[in-house]
């Protein structure tokens, strides 16, 4: 009897595999075939195993990849909840994988080989869309609600390409200046609102401590220092970034005053020594050790200063000071890279299943969970923070989440330009390290070279300048607090 039973199972399995090989269909993740087993057979075996484990009929497996380690625990918990509720009801099982620093290399190899995940964080939406690797969300009716809800936050260069939606923005990273309040209180200082006040505070801290502590630390070894601690803070004083979203032209000369502000701190010897090569973690470590009075920070540093570099003192985040406190603008921020959908979901006939999961992924429930865990700030701002009921949110997290201080801006066309000579990042470095002393001349040259490259990109059709002009930028940037 036992032998007949096993033979019956074996014959049934052979029939199923034969049918699968003929049909050539697959609703799950594609993987390299094992030795001696066809791809269709391997996928059918995986599906049968998933069905057996679920015990609830047909299950569509949806794979999701990310490189976000800071919020991994929250997403794992939420996806587990999805699999046990909505997923179980709808026949969907999501497998979530988080990679480290090699994420985008691993992803590129997998996607170009046709073996990428169904849902993944993407840093080259335009390239993948042109190659047909990812699907427009307009192709799936179940995604229309998300496209409409997040349309005001989306733009070419974020989640749109060729007048189609391939992703929607879901979170922002905000920034500011962290002040060591023990140091400020020790020297009777008030947190600064202007560049002059910031310079005076930095000098008082450095001189008062006899250089046992320094006023400010600018970590130029951090690859995005120029973005978070030069371009964006300066915009709060002048009303836009180095790319003017009203005129559609580059204007690096608008940073002249800001470089003068930083140079004043350097000239006073109030900048932490070695700032030219210091990376972000070193700066955070020096701040947490009480050796720096002020440091540039991002919203993610709320948990960093709790876990990785714990501070035994009170610290407070403030908006980056401005040139003139009576003429202040909101601080512009860009949206973080978001998730796209592999085109194989549409071709394989299970895009509706992926859409079910995406609606959950971008739901208020998930946004509230990441906000309460103090790991992500939703682009929806107060719409989400007002729903957070957890007690004990860090006061600095609440300040970072105050979207009345920030303006979600359009992206810039930088990535589509072919620049002759030094990039603006190179020029910034040379100015701050003293290699370039004619700051005004260097910024004027940058403006001319970037606009020349922009004109060439527009003429060739590579850039549609209308994609980067925001007629509402002045109203969005208007300070209202």
């Amino acid at each position: 009897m036992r032998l007949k039973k096993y033979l019956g199972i074996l014959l049934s399995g052979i029939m199923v595999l034969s049918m699968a090989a003929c049909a050539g269909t697959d609703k799950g993740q594609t993987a390299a075939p094992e030795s001696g087993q066809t791809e269709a057979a391997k996928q059918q075996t995986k599906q049968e195993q998933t069905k057996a484990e679920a015990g609830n009929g047909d299950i569509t497996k949806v794979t999701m990849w990310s490189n976000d380690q800071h919020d991994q625990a929250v997403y794992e918990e939420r996806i587990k909840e999805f699999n046990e509720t909505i997923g179980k009801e709808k026949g969907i099982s999501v497998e979530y994988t988080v990679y480290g620093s090699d994420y985008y290399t691993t992803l590129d190899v997998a996607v170009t080989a046709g073996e990428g995940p169904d849902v993944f964080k993407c840093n080259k939406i335009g390239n993948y869309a042109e190659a047909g690797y990812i699907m427009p969300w307009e192709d799936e009716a179940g995604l229309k609600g998300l496209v409409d809800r997040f349309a005001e936050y989306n733009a070419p260069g974020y989640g749109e390409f060729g007048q189609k939606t391939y992703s929607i923005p879901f979170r922002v990273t905000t920034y500011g200046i962290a002040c060591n309040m023990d140091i400020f209180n020790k020297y009777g200082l008030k947190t600064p609102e202007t560049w002059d006040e910031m310079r005076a505070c930095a000098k008082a801290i450095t001189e008062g401590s006899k250089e046992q502590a320094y006023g400010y630390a600018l970590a130029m070894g951090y690859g995005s220092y120029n973005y978070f601690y030069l371009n964006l803070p300066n915009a709060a004083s002048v009303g836009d970034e180095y790319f003017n979203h009203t005129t559609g032209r580059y204007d690096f000369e608008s940073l002249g005053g800001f470089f003068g502000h930083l140079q004043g701190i350097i000239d006073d010897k109030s900048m932490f020594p070695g700032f030219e090569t210091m990376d972000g973690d070193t700066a955070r470590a020096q701040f947490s050790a009480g050796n720096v009075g002020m440091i540039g920070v991002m919203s993610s540093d709320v948990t960093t200063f709790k876990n990785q570099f714990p501070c035994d003192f009170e610290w407070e985040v403030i908006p980056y000071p401005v040139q003139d406190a009576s003429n202040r603008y909101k601080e512009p921020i860009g949206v973080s890279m978001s998730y796209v959908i592999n085109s194989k979901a549409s071709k394989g006939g299970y895009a509706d299943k992926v859409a079910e999961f995406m609606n959950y992924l971008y739901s208020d429930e998930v946004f509230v969970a990441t906000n309460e865990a103090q790991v992500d700030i939703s682009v929806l701002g107060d719409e989400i923070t007002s729903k957070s009921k957890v007690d004990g949110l860090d006061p600095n997290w609440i300040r970072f989440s105050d979207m009345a201080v920030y303006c979600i801006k359009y992206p810039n066309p930088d990535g589509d330009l072919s620049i002759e000579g030094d990039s603006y990042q190179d020029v910034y470095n040379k100015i701050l390290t003293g290699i370039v002393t004619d700051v005004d001349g260097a910024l004027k040259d940058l403006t001319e070279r970037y606009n020349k490259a922009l004109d060439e990109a527009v003429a060739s059709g590579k850039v549609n300048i209308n994609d980067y002009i925001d007629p509402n930028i002045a109203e969005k940037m208007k300070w209202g607090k």
Side-chain angles (χ1 to χ4, degrees):
M1 291 293 293
R2 182 177 296 177
L3 178 60
K4 289 181 178 180
K5 179 180 179 182
Y6 287 159
L7 286 173
I9 293 173
L10 178 62
L11 289 171
S12 298
I14 292 172
M15 292 175 65
V16 169
L17 291 175
S18 298
M19 293 171 63
C22 292
T25 59
D26 172 29
K27 289 188 177 182
Q29 166 71 13
T30 304
E34 295 174 356
S35 177
Q37 189 178 26
T38 67
E39 177 65 22
K42 182 182 177 186
Q43 292 303 320
Q44 185 64 38
T45 301
K46 282 186 175 182
Q47 290 175 3
E48 290 299 316
Q49 181 180 359
T50 303
K51 289 179 187 178
E53 291 173 351
N56 190 35
D58 291 345
I59 296 292
T60 298
K61 179 180 176 182
V62 174
T63 51
M64 173 179 170
W65 286 9
S66 174
N67 63 337
D68 289 331
Q69 297 177 339
H70 72 285
D71 57 13
Q72 180 176 353
V74 180
Y75 273 90
E76 286 176 343
E77 180 182 348
R78 292 295 94 204
I79 290 171
K80 181 175 183 289
E81 175 73 15
F82 173 86
N83 286 338
E84 293 174 350
T85 55
I86 300 172
K88 186 175 182 180
E89 177 188 347
K90 303 285 188 179
I92 308 165
S93 177
V94 178
E95 179 183 279
Y96 179 49
T97 304
V98 177
Y99 288 84
S101 59
D102 62 343
Y103 170 73
Y104 286 112
T105 301
T106 303
L107 176 70
D108 207 39
V109 171
V111 170
T112 54
E115 299 175 355
D118 298 307
V119 177
F120 55 93
K121 281 276 298 298
C122 182
N123 67 342
K124 46 168 74 171
I125 287 176
N127 292 341
Y128 279 9
E130 282 187 320
Y133 296 143
I134 55 179
M135 61 170 274
W137 288 26
E138 286 84 358
D139 289 358
E140 172 51 49
L143 296 169
K144 184 179 186 304
L146 291 178
V147 172
D148 291 344
R149 184 182 187 189
F150 290 87
E152 66 177 290
Y153 307 106
N154 217 344
Y158 285 159
E160 297 175 357
F161 180 79
Q163 299 184 324
K164 293 284 188 178
T165 303
Y166 289 89
S167 178
I168 57 174
F170 70 111
R171 70 171 181 228
V172 295
T173 298
T174 56
Y175 61 95
I177 293 290
C179 300
N180 180 326
M181 296 312 296
D182 282 6
I183 291 178
F184 269 72
N185 292 334
K186 180 178 180 179
Y187 297 109
L189 302 172
K190 292 173 60 177
T191 54
E193 294 185 19
T194 68
W195 294 346
D196 287 343
E197 290 173 0
M198 182 176 171
R199 179 179 180 180
C201 286
K203 187 173 183 179
I205 292 168
T206 307
E207 293 181 351
S209 68
K210 294 182 170 47
E211 298 185 359
Q212 295 302 302
Y214 287 83
Y216 183 52
L218 177 67
M220 288 179 61
Y222 167 50
S224 297
Y225 89 92
N226 49 67
Y227 176 73
F228 283 107
Y229 304 126
L230 274 77
N231 291 329
L232 300 186
N234 177 66
S237 290
V238 300
D240 208 338
E241 265 196 281
Y242 59 88
F243 180 83
N244 188 309
H245 292 284
T246 300
T247 64
R249 305 298 289 172
Y250 283 92
D251 179 19
F252 287 98
E253 289 154 283
S254 65
L255 282 120
F258 195 84
F259 278 107
H261 150 63
L262 291 178
Q263 191 61 51
I265 297 175
I266 295 170
D267 290 344
D268 291 342
K269 303 189 186 312
S270 301
M271 188 74 78
F272 195 91
F275 69 92
E276 301 92 341
T277 57
M278 183 168 56
D279 61 30
D281 276 353
T282 301
R284 294 183 187 97
Q286 293 292 345
F287 180 78
S288 69
N291 299 328
V292 181
M294 294 175 286
I295 184 178
V297 287
M298 294 178 287
S299 45
S300 57
D301 286 322
V302 170
T303 52
T304 299
F305 287 139
K306 276 192 172 92
N307 303 324
Q308 188 176 358
F309 301 110
C311 298
D312 62 359
F313 53 83
E314 177 190 356
W315 66 277
E316 181 178 324
V317 66
I318 61 171
Y320 199 102
V322 291
Q323 188 171 24
D324 177 3
S326 64
N327 188 30
R328 153 162 228 137
Y329 298 88
K330 289 182 180 178
E331 301 182 16
I333 51 175
V335 299
S336 299
M337 285 180 287
S338 189
Y339 290 94
V340 298
I341 301 173
N342 200 313
S343 57
K344 69 179 182 179
S346 178
K347 296 173 184 176
Y350 60 100
D352 59 329
K353 300 290 189 180
V354 175
E356 287 281 357
F357 172 62
M358 297 302 279
N359 276 280
Y360 176 80
L361 188 67
Y362 291 102
S363 68
D364 288 4
E365 177 184 347
V366 175
F367 290 154
V368 168
T370 57
N371 180 67
E372 292 183 344
Q374 301 173 117
V375 291
D376 288 334
I377 298 172
S378 169
V379 296
L380 299 174
D382 290 342
E383 189 175 340
I384 297 302
T385 55
S386 63
K387 296 180 180 180
S388 296
K389 306 301 182 185
V390 66
D391 293 329
L393 283 177
D394 190 299
N396 285 313
W397 180 258
I398 296 173
R399 295 183 186 105
F400 273 123
S401 305
D402 184 0
M403 292 304 289
V405 174
Y406 303 100
C407 160
I408 297 176
K409 69 174 187 65
Y410 271 31
N412 300 325
D414 299 6
D416 290 321
L417 307 186
S418 297
I419 305 297
E420 294 182 4
D422 286 343
S423 68
Y424 80 76
Q425 294 93 334
D426 294 331
V427 174
Y428 287 9
N429 291 346
K430 289 180 178 180
I431 290 173
L432 291 171
T433 55
I435 296 174
V436 168
T437 56
D438 180 7
V439 176
D440 291 341
L443 295 178
K444 181 180 179 182
D445 176 65
L446 271 178
T447 298
E448 292 172 352
R449 289 192 289 111
Y450 269 72
N451 280 325
K452 179 175 181 291
L454 176 63
D455 290 340
E456 292 170 352
V458 170
S460 69
K462 193 172 185 179
V463 169
N464 179 356
I465 196 61
N466 292 323
D467 289 344
Y468 300 96
I469 293 179
D470 183 356
N472 301 313
I473 186 65
E475 186 64 29
K476 289 178 181 177
M477 291 280 291
K478 186 181 297 182
W479 185 255
K481 288 179 74 76

